[in-house]
Amino acid sequence: MIHHENPFIRRYSHGVQQIKSIDLQSASYYLAGLDIDTVYLGNFNTPLKMGIVYLNKDSLSIQNLEVSEADLPSTAVQLRVRSPYFYLIDGQISRVLQGNLNHWNTSKRWDGTLAFSNYTLIDASNLIARAFEPQTGQLELVKISLGDSLSVRFFTGVLQKQIDGYFDVDGHLSFNSNSGIWVYTYNYRNNFLVLDANLNLEYTGHTLDTITRAQLRIDSISKPGQHKLLGSVLVNAGSYASGGMLYVHSKVKGYYEPAKTWDQTETIDVYDLNGGSYHSSFYVYPLKEQRLSRFFVSAGRFYGFLGDQLVIYDLNPLLNVTH
C-alpha cells in the first residue's frame, strides 16, 4: 500500500500533560462503562471478571460476574455497563445477558438471530450496533432492542460503501450522551459521520488528512460471504466523543512533524462537533515502552490504555484555548 505524508499542518497543544497512571496489572482491559467517579472495565481474556477503577482512590478492584451454565456466552462476549445494570453481550451468537451491579449475577437473557458487532448502549433496553444486511450487501448500523427477544431495525445507507461495503466502512461508533449525538469515524478514510439521536445524518466531517478513499487490498478469491483483508492504509485507529468534542487517534503524519517524534508517540487530533472544525492536537507518550492501544475521554480528562497502565492526561490546557 502507498503511504503518504499529507499536506496539512497540525496545531499541537504542548500544555496537555500526564497527571497520573493506574496499574491495571493486565494489558487486556477495555472501557465497559462510566459512572460519576467510577470506571468499569471489561477484560478480553477473562470476560467474567469486571475491573472497577475508583478515580478518587486511583485503585483497581476485581469483581467476579456470575452466569448460569446454560447462559454461558462464547469467548467473543464483551462487557458493557450502564448503571445500575451490567450487560454481557455476545454479537457472534446474538445473545445479551443483563445483571444488576448490586448483585453481580445475570438475571435476564435475550437471544436473536442476527450476528452483530461494535455495539454501544443507548439506555437500559436499546443498543446501536453494526451488522451485515443481505439486501444491501454491506455492513449497516442497526438498533437492537431488548424485548421478548432481540428485535432489530436497520438504518441502511448511513455507512457509505466505496469498495466492498465491509472493510471500507469499518470504523468506531461513539455516543456523546451530553448532546445526544452519535459519531461514526471511518478507519480507512478521512471522514466522520455526525448523527442525531435517531441516526439521521447531520453532517459529514473531515479529518485533517487527505485520504478520501479507502486504500485496501482485499482477497478477491475467497468464497462468497468470506472476507479477507490483505493490506490497508490505516487513517484513524480510534475515536471517542465527549463534551462536544471528537478525539481521533490519527495514523497519518503531517507536514513539519519530526519523524523521530512521530515514530515514538501517538497523536490525538481534536475536532469541535459543532460543525466539525479542527481544534488542535496533542501527543500521547509511551509508558514503560508500552504505546497507546485504546482510549476514552471524560470530564476534561483523557484516559489511555498503554499496556497494563491506564494513563490520565489533563485536557483543560487544550480545551480552554480557542482558535
Side-chain angles (χ1 to χ4, degrees), residues 123-164:
D123 51 38
S125 57
N126 295 279
L127 57 110
I128 300 297
R130 205 180 57 189
F132 186 77
E133 166 59 280
Q135 292 185 356
T136 63
Q138 72 166 73
L139 290 173
E140 306 277 10
L141 295 183
V142 61
K143 181 179 180 180
I144 300 175
S145 299
L146 310 180
D148 295 332
S149 61
L150 295 183
S151 62
V152 300
R153 177 192 172 191
F154 277 99
F155 291 82
T156 57
V158 177
L159 304 183
Q160 294 297 305
K161 175 180 176 180
Q162 288 185 332
I163 302 171
D164 67 333

Side-chain angles (χ1 to χ4, degrees), residues 74-87:
S74 75
T75 55
V77 69
Q78 288 193 23
L79 176 69
R80 297 291 186 270
V81 175
R82 191 176 182 90
S83 185
Y85 302 110
F86 71 87
Y87 301 79

Side-chain angles (χ1 to χ4, degrees), residues 255-276:
Y255 270 174
Y256 308 122
E257 297 183 28
K260 183 177 180 180
T261 303
W262 179 260
D263 291 339
Q264 293 179 350
T265 62
E266 303 295 334
T267 290
I268 305 296
D269 294 329
V270 185
Y271 300 87
D272 188 338
L273 288 173
N274 184 21

Side-chain angles (χ1 to χ4, degrees), residues 61-201:
S61 64
I62 306 297
Q63 176 63 53
N64 292 320
L65 305 177
E66 298 180 8
V67 179
S68 70
E69 187 173 348
D71 292 342
L72 281 175
S74 75
T75 55
V77 69
Q78 288 193 23
L79 176 69
R80 297 291 186 270
V81 175
R82 191 176 182 90
S83 185
Y85 302 110
F86 71 87
Y87 301 79
L88 291 168
I89 304 175
D90 191 335
Q92 283 192 357
I93 62 173
S94 195
R95 176 173 296 173
V96 177
L97 306 175
Q98 183 194 69
N100 193 290
L101 291 172
N102 294 322
H103 303 294
W104 308 114
N105 63 292
T106 59
S107 56
K108 292 184 179 181
R109 166 180 161 178
W110 295 269
D111 290 294
T113 58
L114 179 74
F116 58 90
S117 62
N118 291 44
Y119 32 85
T120 300
L121 287 166
I122 307 174
D123 51 38
S125 57
N126 295 279
L127 57 110
I128 300 297
R130 205 180 57 189
F132 186 77
E133 166 59 280
Q135 292 185 356
T136 63
Q138 72 166 73
L139 290 173
E140 306 277 10
L141 295 183
V142 61
K143 181 179 180 180
I144 300 175
S145 299
L146 310 180
D148 295 332
S149 61
L150 295 183
S151 62
V152 300
R153 177 192 172 191
F154 277 99
F155 291 82
T156 57
V158 177
L159 304 183
Q160 294 297 305
K161 175 180 176 180
Q162 288 185 332
I163 302 171
D164 67 333
Y166 191 84
F167 292 113
D168 65 341
V169 298
D170 198 13
H172 300 85
L173 181 66
S174 183
F175 182 56
N176 189 345
S177 57
N178 292 336
S179 57
I181 64 171
W182 295 87
V183 184
Y184 190 89
T185 308
Y186 289 110
N187 286 350
Y188 301 111
R189 61 181 109 158
N190 68 342
N191 291 151
F192 57 89
L193 309 177
V194 178
L195 314 168
D196 67 17
N198 297 313
L199 297 187
N200 297 306
L201 180 66

